[in-house]
Amino acid sequence: MTHALTGAPPFWLPGRFLVAAIGAFLLATTWSLFAAADLADFYYHVHVLALTHLVTLGWITMTIMGAMYQLVPVALQARLWSARLGPWQFWLYVVGVAGMVVHFWIGEFVGMAGSALFVLAGLLIFLVNMAATLARAGLRDLAARHLAAALVYLLGTAVLGVLLALDKTLGFLRGEFLGLIAAHAHLAALGWVTMTIFGVSYKLIPMFTLSAVQQPRLAAWQFWLFNVGLLGVFWSLFLSSPFTPLFAAVAGAAILLHAIQVLAILRQRKRPPLDLGIIHALTALGYLVLLVPVGLLLATGLLPDTPFRARVVSAYGFLGLMGWVSLTIVGMLYKIVPFLVWYHCYSARVGLEPVPVMDRLYSRGLQRAGYWLLNLGITGTAAGLLAGGPQWLAVGLGLLAVGAWTFGINMGMILSRLFTVGRRARVPPAACSAGSERAAS
Amino acid sequence: MGGQVKTIDCRNLMPPEPLVRAMKAVEELGPEDTLVMLNDRAPMLLYPRLEERGLTHQTEQAPEGHYIITIRRAPAR
């Protein structure tokens, strides 16, 4: 078998998304310090919506887009359909997200809906680019299948989001509004984000622990079960049907099956010590497993519609976004960013002169401190949301922000190499072009 | 076809170690020598680096699942 070649994407194709995403994470965690009172309030508050979308669209989705621009061509061995569309997509998307967040904050929904259309345009370009790239790779690979499904759910989330935005001014959707928002949030969190993380985990966790997916058939079952569960949750929330608990149980079973797969991968690993990046991701998976019974409880409707239920919903959403998704992303970025920077700054010089080791590009002590600060911040904030106490909330958010900044400083240290490593030593531009197809002969 | 065949086993190594070992090994390659690299994946990011240094390469997948990359100096034109 002979492989067609792909070059590495130029640094700034994934890089600009990752840098902007890290910026959004720092902005969101810092900004939330000044919005503790709003966060203690009902979750359907414009300030909470502004911060939530800064996290989901700015931090989470931009990280995934950057990671996909890097990982899909390399891990799935498929040449990126278009590297040129990347910057266009980036700017449309960033302007849209900034507009959405600001307009949410000031409660101006015409501007918010207009900005959402920019976001949708940016997402559509991304979707076409990735769909065409995945079509080249084929969908036999477990990770590729997860990513393809996730892209479909991203489209669904974005279209429903734009409809919800337009409905704020035009009022044409007749469903129960909070049910529609729950449907939108679950399609995003489970269909787009969790599906992506599951797929990427099946590539990256074996790669960084020197192991393999142990039961591919069970993992394939997990994929289909999760699709059925999350689509069922989405439709039953959308239509306010009584089947939500049933589908929530199916989605929950798929999540547990994934966690079992990850443990099986780890049990067979050939590299015994687990590094901190992987520990971040495993802790995050622990938060997700903890959220399954909470989600089931909320789906059953057994909790009466009281302010306490609203606080449980807030804590559930927060733990999903920060405990599960953000901690996973922090762990994965501690793998992806040092590698990307090392590759673009130093790989061309290996064998010709001494080059630094990848793990030495950032502070391990800061990473360890950040891990504990983030976890204390996440659990503290969740406890504060649940108890409805603004003091706990302020302490939790403070720890979270400090934890986010330790991560941000480490990422800054790594990225600074791009500017401090002398131009002479840098990889020639031709070496990091998106690469035209050449036969490997 | 003269020259020596050198084999490096880069399986069970974490990125970027396979790339580092291959790039160091090619520097010791004579004009007629061949480097055979065994790797868990097709090393997509190594290929452009080899080409920059005027090396040709061919990748095959072994029945066991790993990849065999054969690297030589490109003939001088």
Side-chain angles (χ1 to χ4, degrees):
Chain A
M1 185 171 105
T2 302
H3 284 275
L5 284 194
T6 69
F11 176 82
W12 286 107
L13 178 59
R16 63 166 66 81
F17 287 93
L18 299 178
V19 169
I22 294 164
F25 183 47
L26 298 178
L27 179 62
T29 47
T30 309
W31 193 347
S32 67
L33 294 176
F34 304 97
D38 300 329
L39 289 169
D41 200 357
F42 185 45
Y43 58 86
Y44 190 62
H45 181 296
V46 285
H47 289 179
V48 180
L49 292 177
L51 285 170
T52 304
H53 284 83
L54 181 56
V55 168
T56 55
L57 295 174
W59 159 235
I60 296 171
T61 298
M62 273 209 280
T63 305
I64 297 178
M65 291 194 294
M68 278 200 188
Y69 275 123
Q70 173 66 20
L71 290 176
V72 167
V74 173
L76 301 179
Q77 300 170 26
R79 188 161 55 92
L80 191 66
W81 187 64
S82 168
R84 276 192 204 161
L85 283 175
W88 289 96
Q89 189 239 311
F90 175 79
W91 288 112
L92 270 174
Y93 185 82
V94 165
V95 167
V97 173
M100 272 184 78
V101 171
V102 169
H103 286 102
F104 259 131
W105 187 266
I106 60 175
E108 207 279 279
F109 287 96
V110 177
M112 198 277 284
S115 306
L117 289 172
F118 274 81
V119 171
L120 183 65
L123 286 177
L124 284 175
I125 296 175
F126 172 73
L127 282 164
V128 168
N129 208 352
M130 277 300 140
T133 307
L134 280 172
R136 283 179 172 164
L139 296 181
R140 271 165 302 171
D141 187 276
L142 185 63
R145 250 182 269 165
H146 276 84
L147 296 186
L151 292 173
V152 174
Y153 298 131
L154 173 63
L155 180 64
T157 304
V159 170
L160 182 59
V162 169
L163 287 179
L164 283 168
L166 293 173
D167 184 62
K168 292 293 283 182
T169 46
L170 304 174
F172 53 87
L173 291 172
R174 292 205 186 89
E176 195 201 329
F177 206 75
L178 290 182
L180 292 184
I181 287 179
H184 168 71
H186 280 82
L187 193 63
L190 296 178
W192 162 231
V193 181
T194 302
M195 185 69 81
T196 302
I197 296 176
F198 281 4
V200 170
S201 297
Y202 283 132
K203 279 278 169 206
L204 289 193
I205 294 182
M207 194 187 283
F208 287 110
T209 60
L210 303 178
S211 185
V213 176
Q214 298 298 310
Q215 297 141 315
R217 242 186 232 177
L218 217 55
W221 270 99
Q222 171 256 285
F223 172 72
W224 290 112
L225 206 62
F226 192 48
N227 275 290
V228 170
L230 78 91
L231 272 175
V233 167
F234 170 71
W235 279 114
S236 49
L237 287 172
F238 194 82
L239 303 171
S240 305
S241 92
F243 295 110
T244 317
L246 173 73
F247 288 114
V250 174
I255 288 170
L256 296 181
L257 212 52
H258 174 76
I260 291 168
Q261 290 300 305
V262 170
L263 291 179
I265 292 170
L266 292 177
R267 223 173 284 133
Q268 296 301 321
R269 71 186 187 274
K270 293 174 197 141
R271 184 175 187 272
L274 286 176
D275 66 60
L276 212 47
I278 297 289
I279 290 173
H280 276 83
L282 293 179
T283 312
L285 191 57
Y287 284 114
L288 178 65
V289 170
L290 278 178
L291 284 172
V292 169
V294 183
L296 274 173
L297 177 69
L298 289 169
T300 57
L302 288 175
L303 271 184
D305 210 354
T306 58
F308 178 69
R309 186 183 190 279
R311 293 207 297 270
V312 173
V313 171
S314 291
Y316 169 75
F318 174 82
L319 276 178
L321 287 181
M322 286 293 153
W324 160 232
V325 180
S326 298
L327 206 56
T328 302
I329 290 180
V330 167
M332 300 243 174
L333 286 182
Y334 265 117
K335 292 279 166 210
I336 295 171
V337 175
F339 182 82
L340 260 180
V341 171
W342 182 91
Y343 181 78
H344 285 277
C345 287
Y346 301 112
S347 67
R349 299 153 63 187
V350 176
L352 304 176
E353 57 185 280
V355 299
V357 178
M358 192 175 81
D359 290 350
R360 297 288 159 82
L361 300 185
Y362 59 91
S363 154
R364 294 292 193 89
L366 213 53
Q367 186 192 22
R368 206 171 301 120
Y371 171 79
W372 290 109
L373 285 164
L374 285 172
N375 275 293
L376 286 172
I378 288 162
T379 45
T381 306
L385 287 170
L386 210 53
Q391 295 90 345
W392 271 104
L393 204 56
V395 172
L397 289 170
L399 289 166
L400 185 67
V402 178
W405 275 97
T406 56
F407 163 72
I409 290 168
N410 250 348
M411 289 294 125
M413 271 165 59
I414 300 164
L415 290 162
S416 69
R417 301 276 175 150
L418 291 164
F419 307 100
T420 54
V421 175
R423 279 205 71 79
R424 179 193 62 79
R426 291 264 289 281
V427 179
C432 41
S433 70
S436 54
E437 203 158 332
R438 290 156 289 186
S441 54
Chain B
M1 284 288 290
Q4 292 181 328
V5 177
K6 189 184 172 192
T7 302
I8 52 168
D9 189 350
C10 296
R11 291 173 294 178
N12 295 327
L13 292 176
M14 284 221 303
E17 197 54 31
L19 182 140
V20 169
R21 292 200 186 179
M23 299 278 281
K24 284 181 177 167
V26 295
E27 283 311 304
E28 291 160 15
L29 220 52
E32 297 292 316
D33 296 348
T34 303
L35 178 69
V36 176
M37 175 192 190
L38 309 181
N39 205 36
D40 290 324
R41 293 167 289 278
M44 307 306 284
L45 295 175
L46 173 64
Y47 299 143
R49 293 293 174 264
L50 295 176
E51 288 161 17
E52 280 160 39
R53 293 191 188 178
L55 295 143
T56 64
H57 51 87
Q58 193 167 12
T59 302
E60 292 172 282
Q61 191 169 14
E64 298 86 358
H66 64 268
Y67 290 82
I68 303 165
I69 303 97
T70 309
I71 303 163
R72 290 191 188 90
R73 294 221 169 272
R77 289 180 198 177

